[in-house]
Every structure is written in C-alpha cells, then in structure tokens.
Amino acid sequence: MTLNEYQQHALETAVYPDDRRIIYPTLGLTGEAGEVADKVKKVIRDAGEEFTPERRLEIVKEIGDVLWYCATLARDLGYELDEVAQMNVDKLRSRMQRNLLHGSGDNR
C-alpha cells in the first residue's frame, strides 16, 4: 500500500466538522503522539525497559493512530501523504549534504 492509498482509506473514516478542519486533526495528532510516548514511558517505568513483542504491538497501534491524523491533517492542508513524505526526504537529504543534520531550527 502506498502512502496515498493509505490516506484515501483513512479519509473514509475521517468524520469531523468541516469548520474544524486542520484544528481537529492537529489536536488529535498531539493526543495520539502523547499516547505513544506514554506507552514507551510505562515500559521504562513498569517493565524494566523490556520491549516485548506485545508491548511493541501496542506502541505500533498508537503509531497507526498518529498516521491517521497525519493523513487527515495533510489532506486538510491540501497535500497528499506521498508529497509530504517526499518533501521530508528532500529536506533531510539537503541537511545531510550540507552537514546540518545536527542543531536546531526549521530552516537549516
């Protein structure tokens, strides 16, 4: 499945008010990313940092939710996921070629 195919499937279940486009998936994205972090935190706190196959699967399920919100947010902004992925790869390659992977700032 391509990213664009995934995006199309995700959009079939994107039910939220049109007047909340961009806002709704942005808030959902931050919530789901927090759930990913929380599951990882609990592995550290409760499981001696042992990422069993079951724990990994639970984290991956949350990553899927993050991906769903990325797909809907990208659509709301007027982009397909393949475009978003390509722009990100291009940005990172440019930084690598210019030896700017380290550091901070959006426009390195």
Side-chain angles (χ1 to χ4, degrees), residues 85-102:
Q86 188 63 59
M87 284 188 286
N88 185 254
V89 167
D90 292 346
K91 175 183 77 174
L92 294 174
R93 283 186 180 148
S94 173
R95 286 180 182 173
M96 180 183 282
Q97 291 167 353
R98 294 176 292 122
N99 199 28
L100 293 173
L101 282 176
H102 301 287

Side-chain angles (χ1 to χ4, degrees), residues 3 9-10 14 20 22-24 28-29 34 42 44 60-61 65-66 68-69 73 75 83 86 91 99 103:
L3 289 172
H9 291 296
R20 294 295 182 248
I22 299 174
I23 297 166
Y24 182 88
L29 176 59
K42 288 179 181 175
I44 293 167
V60 166
K61 287 178 183 178
D65 292 339
V66 167
W68 187 92
Y69 281 107
L73 178 57
R75 184 275 313 261
E83 292 176 279
Q86 188 63 59
K91 175 183 77 174
N99 199 28

Side-chain angles (χ1 to χ4, degrees), residues 49-85:
E49 297 187 36
E50 183 182 350
F51 288 89
T52 64
E54 295 81 13
R55 291 184 186 107
R56 289 173 184 260
L57 178 60
E58 291 304 312
I59 294 166
V60 166
K61 287 178 183 178
E62 297 301 337
I63 292 171
D65 292 339
V66 167
L67 185 58
W68 187 92
Y69 281 107
C70 286
T72 58
L73 178 57
R75 184 275 313 261
D76 289 355
L77 293 168
Y79 291 90
E80 293 183 331
L81 277 182
D82 281 343
E83 292 176 279
V84 174

